[in-house]
């Protein structure tokens, strides 16, 4: 298939720059993947769309305030470092700017100088290996000095950094939010549980590769990025119990989907598992465990719209996106959502 098969026209003004006032007040398009029929609801209507005995699988990864603004040493020119992967021994794989001035041996300082760093080496795709020096606990230093690494299409400043975290986020490690989960409130989760819907959690640390455009003309040629994920025993048991009793396994977000589909057996049975996944899901893929998907509206020609098209059909998804544009839905990370079942 061609990458261009997943293009659609999106007016710039429909790219959401800020979250809606109330998380579950966002709009929710429904898409029946068997008939292609669409509907228009709000996210707080979700309990009406699920059934007792279903389960929702949510990604509890928490976004690191991984963007550090500082100065190069000794000259004092500005620099920016974006943490990607913890390599251990205080070394992180990072994106750095300006790259041409931050070669091996370059030194930097951040904030009041309580955090310093040096470029220890170079990694793939122009990334740098950066060794940090600090007193205390690194994550606490990051909370004090770091900023949220918002996607490049968001130009507005985020007033409340918790709005780029899900209310159930727990395990620090993502460079970007699992955005389908941003619509949930504690009260909505309680309503779902009271209805008899099981809530299970996985962890997938979202990498910036999720925003990387597919540059290859043929989508099969795209090198998929790797991300670390975990399925705990209680979640595997919930999924197996749900499927055995005829309930649906509904993934909240493409990250939850990729986690489950990476480790599911061919018969759909789940086992507890941790590891790196570079699963690449596009039309023609046979889903082993996922029966429903809650997801935001994704970038044209991205691996995420390809995953959604694999589940619901390319033509149905593109038709739904055209309808969403006509109905003035809000797109991308802080935008509205779809329920596909």
């Amino acid at each position: 298939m061609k990458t261009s098969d997943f293009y659609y026209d999106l007016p710039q003004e429909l790219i959401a720059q800020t979250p809606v006032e109330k998380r579950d007040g966002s709009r929710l398009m429904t898409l029946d993947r068997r008939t292609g029929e669409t509907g228009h609801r709000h996210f707080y209507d979700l309990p009406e769309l699920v059934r007792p005995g279903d389960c929702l699988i949510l990604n509890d990864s928490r976004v690191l305030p991984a963007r550090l603004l500082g100065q190069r040493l000794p000259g004092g020119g500005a620099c920016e470092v974006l943490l990607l992967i913890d390599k251990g021994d205080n070394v992180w794989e990072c994106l750095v700017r300006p790259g041409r001035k931050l070669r091996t041996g370059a030194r930097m300082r951040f904030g009041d100088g309580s955090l310093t760093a040096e470029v220890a080496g170079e990694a793939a795709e122009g990334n740098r290996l950066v060794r940090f020096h600090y007193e205390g606990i690194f994550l606490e230093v990051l909370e004090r000095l770091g900023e949220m690494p918002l996607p490049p299409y968001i130009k507005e400043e985020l007033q409340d950094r918790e709005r780029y975290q899900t209310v159930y986020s727990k395990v620090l490690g993502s460079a970007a939010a699992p955005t389908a989960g941003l619509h949930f409130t504690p009260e909505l989760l309680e309503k779902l549980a009271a209805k008899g819907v099981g809530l299970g959690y996985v962890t997938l640390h979202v990498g910036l590769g999720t925003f990387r455009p597919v540059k290859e003309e043929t989508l099969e040629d795209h090198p998929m990025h790797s991300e670390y994920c975990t399925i705990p025993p209680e979640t595997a048991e919930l999924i197996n119990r749900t499927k055995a009793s005829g309930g649906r396994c509904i993934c909240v977000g493409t990250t939850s989907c990729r986690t489950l589909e990476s480790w599911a057996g061919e018969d759909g049975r789940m086992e507890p598992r941790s590891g790196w996944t570079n699963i690449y899901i596009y039309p023609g893929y046979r889903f082993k465990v996922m029966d429903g998907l809650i997801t935001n509206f994704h970038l044209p020609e991205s691996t995420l719209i390809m995953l959604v098209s694999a589940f619901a059909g390319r033509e149905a998804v593109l038709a739904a996106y055209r309808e969403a544009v006509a109905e003035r839905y809000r797109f991308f990370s802080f935008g509205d959502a779809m329920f596909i079942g």
Side-chain angles (χ1 to χ4, degrees), residues 275-339:
W276 291 89
T277 180
N278 65 347
I279 189 171
Y280 183 15
I281 297 175
Y282 52 82
Y285 179 83
R286 184 182 67 82
F287 288 85
K288 298 188 283 289
V289 65
M290 184 172 76
D291 303 303
L293 177 65
I294 296 168
T295 187
N296 280 20
F297 293 91
H298 302 294
L299 279 74
E301 300 183 337
S302 64
T303 61
L304 303 181
I305 195 172
M306 292 170 188
L307 183 155
V308 175
S309 297
F311 187 60
R314 184 184 70 89
E315 292 183 3
V317 168
L318 290 178
Y321 271 53
R322 287 193 295 270
E323 185 175 344
V325 169
E327 294 289 335
R328 310 296 289 177
Y329 273 69
R330 303 167 80 246
F331 279 67
F332 305 165
S333 296
F334 285 140
D336 297 314
M338 299 180 79
F339 178 94

